[in-house]
């Protein structure tokens, strides 16, 4: 999804993915408990609910930073995956949990917005309090090494001359990648044959197998196929990740066109009641997050994976602004075309 109020890029400091913490046998919590701030987390058992499958971006990110969070909260954290319904099952569970700040949610922007704008669910953005942003997946266009296009200019020009013939995969239609391609089409007059898959893995596999000619994917999520592919462009205002993206220019600069940014932010939320009823606990979580992003062991692990530059911390205000911007953008598309995100 394009995002307007850009995050504060924090390299090499990071924390990436969204988290859902649900209470598991916690003592001292509950609506009647006093609000003691950070001290209330000591010795607690927290359950982190991830609304996607094991091995996905959310899951991997929270497991990477889990130790740093446990150390700072003096708490035990268990990760539980609650996948299904385009993240709605896990997110619904988070929305219905106690607002005692012992339950948090790992989610993505725009994943969260897509989940309630395109499905019949019992929650909206107002049901959650933003704790902060942790990492970013900038959108890139990848092609195989032997593809005929040497630049994004050649790729778009070919799509203009052969409308609908270049096949390009996305993880889901309800994704920033799909919306990013729509933005490119609108800005350039190009027309792609956009094919959606059930997740980023199948979408990227489709490129390697030759089912599609290109893929619009996350810069870091697609590093698994970097040996067989190359990047044509980054859909961001500037390329802050040259080592992971072959040093290509950002798309708006390369095409000299106004093209909105496409990125997925991994973020941390709490039920709205956390900020309303336990403001000191909520503030403690807000303060812990950027500190965990600076954990030396965590950063060392990211460095070994060549992922440290995905770090992008957002304050609660910045995250709220980003979420509201994405909500408005998705809603505008739905108002124009109610079936825009359905097969």
């Amino acid at each position: 999804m394009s995002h307007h109020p850009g995050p504060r890029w924090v390299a090499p400091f990071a924390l990436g993915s969204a988290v859902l913490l649900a209470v598991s046998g916690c003592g001292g919590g509950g609506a009647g408990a006093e609000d003691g701030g950070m001290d209330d987390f000591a010795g607690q058992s927290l359950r982190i609910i991830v609304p996607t499958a094991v091995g996905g971006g959310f899951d991997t990110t929270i497991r990477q930073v889990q130790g740093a969070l446990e150390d700072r909260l003096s708490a035990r954290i268990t990760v539980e995956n609650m996948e299904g319904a385009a993240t709605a099952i896990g997110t619904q569970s988070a929305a219905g949990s106690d607002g005692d700040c012992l339950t948090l949610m790992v989610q993505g922007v725009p994943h969260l917005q897509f989940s309630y704008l395109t499905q019949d669910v019992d929650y909206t953005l107002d049901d959650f309090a933003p704790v902060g942003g942790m990492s970013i997946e900038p959108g890139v266009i990848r092609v195989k090494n032997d593809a005929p296009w040497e630049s994004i200019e050649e790729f778009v020009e070919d799509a203009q001359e052969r409308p609908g013939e270049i096949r390009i995969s996305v993880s889901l239609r309800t994704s920033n990648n799909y919306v990013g391609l729509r933005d490119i089409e609108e800005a350039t007059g190009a027309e792609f044959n956009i094919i959606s898959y059930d997740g980023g893995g199948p979408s990227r596999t489709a490129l390697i197998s030759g089912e599609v000619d290109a893929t619009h994917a996350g810069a870091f999520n697609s590093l698994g196929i970097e040996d067989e592919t190359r990047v044509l462009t980054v859909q961001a205002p500037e390329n802050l990740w040259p080592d992971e993206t072959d040093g290509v220019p950002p798309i708006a600069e390369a095409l000299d066109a106004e093209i909105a940014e496409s990125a997925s932010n991994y973020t941390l939320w709490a039920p709205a009641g956390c900020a309303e009823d336990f403001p000191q606990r909520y503030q403690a979580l807000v303060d812990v997050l950027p500190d965990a992003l600076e954990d030396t062991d965590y950063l060392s692990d990211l460095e070994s994976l060549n992922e440290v530059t995905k770090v992008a911390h957002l304050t609660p205000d910045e995250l709220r602004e980003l979420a509201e911007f994405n909500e408005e953008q998705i809603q505008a598309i739905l108002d124009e075309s109610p079936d825009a995100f359905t097969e």
Side-chain angles (χ1 to χ4, degrees), residues 100-331:
D100 55 9
C101 298
L102 298 176
T103 296
L104 304 177
M105 177 180 70
V106 180
Q107 249 291 9
V109 174
H111 306 75
L112 175 58
Q113 286 65 52
F114 273 120
S115 74
Y116 61 77
L117 289 175
T118 65
Q119 300 183 89
D120 184 14
V121 296
D122 295 329
Y123 60 85
T124 68
L125 184 61
D126 291 337
D127 290 301
F128 300 100
V131 176
M134 299 176 286
S135 70
I136 190 170
E137 276 285 346
V140 301
I141 293 180
R142 281 190 180 273
V143 297
K144 294 183 71 173
N145 290 330
D146 60 357
W149 312 282
E150 295 299 327
S151 66
I152 188 60
E153 294 95 326
E154 292 182 7
F155 184 78
V156 169
E157 182 179 349
D158 194 10
Q160 292 168 334
E161 296 176 351
R162 298 188 297 131
E165 294 188 33
I166 296 178
R167 301 161 300 170
I168 184 164
S169 65
V170 295
S171 58
L172 296 165
R173 291 178 75 89
T174 52
S175 69
N176 64 289
N177 307 111
Y178 176 72
V179 176
L181 285 174
R182 284 179 57 110
D183 288 338
I184 296 172
E185 289 180 324
E186 182 177 352
T188 66
E191 183 180 336
F192 305 111
N193 179 5
I194 305 174
I195 303 173
S196 62
Y197 288 79
D198 187 18
S203 176
R204 294 186 288 273
T205 299
L207 173 59
I208 300 304
S209 68
E211 289 182 22
V212 297
D213 306 301
T215 187
H216 194 299
F220 295 97
N221 285 341
S222 62
L223 286 177
I225 61 171
E226 65 175 333
D227 290 342
E228 300 170 83
T229 64
R230 50 190 170 85
V231 177
L232 292 182
T233 193
V234 176
Q235 197 163 342
E238 57 182 309
N239 188 353
L240 301 174
W241 316 272
D243 293 341
E244 296 80 19
T245 61
D246 303 326
V248 296
I251 190 167
E253 175 185 312
L255 299 179
D256 191 23
E258 293 187 9
I259 300 176
E261 181 176 3
S262 174
S264 171
N265 289 77
Y266 293 168
T267 55
L268 181 62
W269 302 79
C274 168
E276 295 169 358
D277 300 330
F278 296 90
Q280 294 185 68
R281 292 184 189 177
Y282 171 70
Q283 188 60 49
L285 292 169
V286 169
D287 293 341
V288 157
L289 186 56
D291 186 52
L293 297 179
E294 300 180 16
D295 184 84
T296 55
D297 290 338
Y298 167 64
L299 292 174
S300 178
D301 290 342
L302 288 185
E303 188 69 43
S304 68
L305 297 170
N306 200 29
E307 294 184 3
V308 73
T309 53
K310 72 182 181 182
V311 177
H313 177 248
L314 293 171
T315 67
D317 287 345
E318 290 169 334
L319 177 51
R320 172 69 68 174
E321 183 182 2
L322 172 62
E324 290 174 347
F325 174 80
N326 278 270
E327 179 178 298
E328 292 173 1
Q329 189 179 36
I330 297 171
Q331 189 59 60

